[in-house]
Amino acid sequence: MRIYLVGGAVRDKLLERPAGDRDHVVTGASPDDLLALGYRPVGKDFPVFLHPESGEEYALARTERKSGRGYHGFEFRTDPAVTLEEDLARRDLTINAIAEDADGTLIDPWGGVRDLEARLLRHVAPAFVEDPVRLLRVARFAARFAPLGFRVADETMALLRHMVDAGEVDHLVPERVWAETRKALAEPRPSAFLQVLRACGALRVLFPEVDALYGVPQRAEFHPEIDTGVHMEMVLDAAAAIAPGDDLVGFCALGHDLGKALTPADELPRHVMHEQRGVAPLRVLAARLKVPAEHAALAELVCREHLNAHRALELKPATVLKLLVALDALRRPERLETFLAACLADKRGRLGHGHDDYPEADYLRRARATAAAVTAAPFLAQGLEGPAVGAAMERARVHAITEMKQGSI
């Protein structure tokens, strides 16, 4: 029995990146061998075990054979005769197909070290096309490693296009699409995720509402980048910088301008009412991907209200309170922070505006704190009951925000 460190742990060590999960491959062993050593089985489709002390994953070396459509259509073979090289051959990218033995020696049959140095995302073998999830994984790795200069190898991009043309991506279930999308939105450069999907044709299949934004013009005085799709990419990257690793902010950014694809041609490049028009396609997208309820709800609020955030200093105090209530920000201030992060990303996701100030955010935070300080107690003490208490509190909150705005408190 031999044990090797594999995959992302080896890749990230070579890239001098922080260590993540440590996965291992075991050759020359059976499930009974690992059980006898105290390893705990966790794999359902193939033998994966947890180390009795470290809790790290140890998988028996295996091979895969395509037996149907989509990512479920595989048969696995795992026995002591399966070699490390055979196991590495089933992996997606060469940079993920590097192993390290106990002495620190690298086993790299597919040139992963070379591709790390060349900053290339390259598939291991032609069998790559058999699993459509790999297309999404390549796009996600592009979002992770684009800041380091990585790009998709030409021959791998050709395979991605082939997978789209062959209809393999049509067999992806929503849960897998969302799982990879969610991770991509939390990466340092989510725009690369969209760019790879668009380059291979998968964006129009999986995210038609987003794909429709490309080529739609905006007013140059507000959007020097002009193209709405390019703006979307810039907003996603701004969101990743403002709220690193926060896929909720990322999804809000992704859905904020979908209505611009629905602007009548004779109104372009103006986009009057795009925030209202965007709600319907956003709901379709969220339902199709089966995104979490909070993601769908907050993304819709950002879509509908982001222009109000941008002009918060001009809004009447009653309108500011209405916005805060819509966000449920008086009870849940974290919702306001997510909303403001996405709106700031929209403000900065424009050519030449990457470092713009956003005083509207601080104003809305102060308005929230001011309104939340108004409680029901004094009105109950006055003998008010039921709806009368709520109405009195609303009047008091509007008055408090007015005074705050005027600088009297």
Side-chain angles (χ1 to χ4, degrees), residues 7 34 39 50 57 102 111 120 132-133 138 143 151 158 172 245 256 276 284 291 332 362 384:
L34 292 185
Y39 286 75
L50 299 183
E57 284 195 1
L120 283 177
V133 173
V138 170
R151 67 176 182 86
L172 285 168
H256 85 283
Q276 285 84 7
V284 171
V291 307
R332 301 169 62 188
D362 285 336
L384 297 181

Side-chain angles (χ1 to χ4, degrees), residues 254-313:
L254 182 69
H256 85 283
D257 259 357
L258 297 184
K260 288 183 176 178
L262 302 177
T263 300
D266 60 354
E267 294 181 12
L268 296 173
R270 300 173 70 244
H271 291 279
V272 179
M273 301 289 288
H274 77 272
E275 63 272 34
Q276 285 84 7
R277 288 191 179 112
V279 171
L282 176 58
R283 287 177 176 173
V284 171
L285 174 65
R288 187 174 67 250
L289 296 184
K290 299 182 179 180
V291 307
E294 185 69 353
H295 283 62
L298 267 175
E300 184 171 324
L301 284 165
V302 171
C303 176
R304 195 170 62 236
E305 303 288 353
H306 65 277
L307 292 189
N308 277 333
H310 296 338
R311 54 181 174 239
L313 299 175

Side-chain angles (χ1 to χ4, degrees), residues 8 122 178 191 200 208 243 270 272 286 315 320 323 337 363 365 378:
R122 187 196 309 275
W178 171 242
S191 63
C200 70
R270 300 173 70 244
V272 179
L315 298 178
V320 171
L323 172 61
E337 292 305 317
Y363 172 71
R365 290 187 184 101

Side-chain angles (χ1 to χ4, degrees), residues 154-228:
D154 293 341
E155 58 268 40
T156 300
M157 183 59 74
L159 276 188
L160 299 184
R161 294 192 186 101
H162 170 75
M163 294 169 74
V164 175
D165 293 342
E168 277 290 334
V169 294
D170 299 334
H171 296 276
L172 285 168
V173 298
E175 291 83 359
R176 292 306 297 267
V177 176
W178 171 242
E180 293 297 325
T181 301
R182 187 173 197 169
K183 293 175 184 177
L185 292 172
E187 298 290 3
R189 195 173 295 172
S191 63
F193 180 74
L194 297 186
Q195 291 163 358
V196 170
L197 294 182
R198 185 166 180 250
C200 70
L203 192 65
R204 59 178 166 76
V205 177
L206 300 174
F207 302 91
E209 300 85 0
V210 177
D211 187 64
L213 295 174
Y214 288 90
V216 176
Q218 302 165 109
R219 294 172 64 181
E221 64 267 37
F222 299 122
H223 288 278
E225 70 282 358
I226 299 178
D227 190 297
T228 306

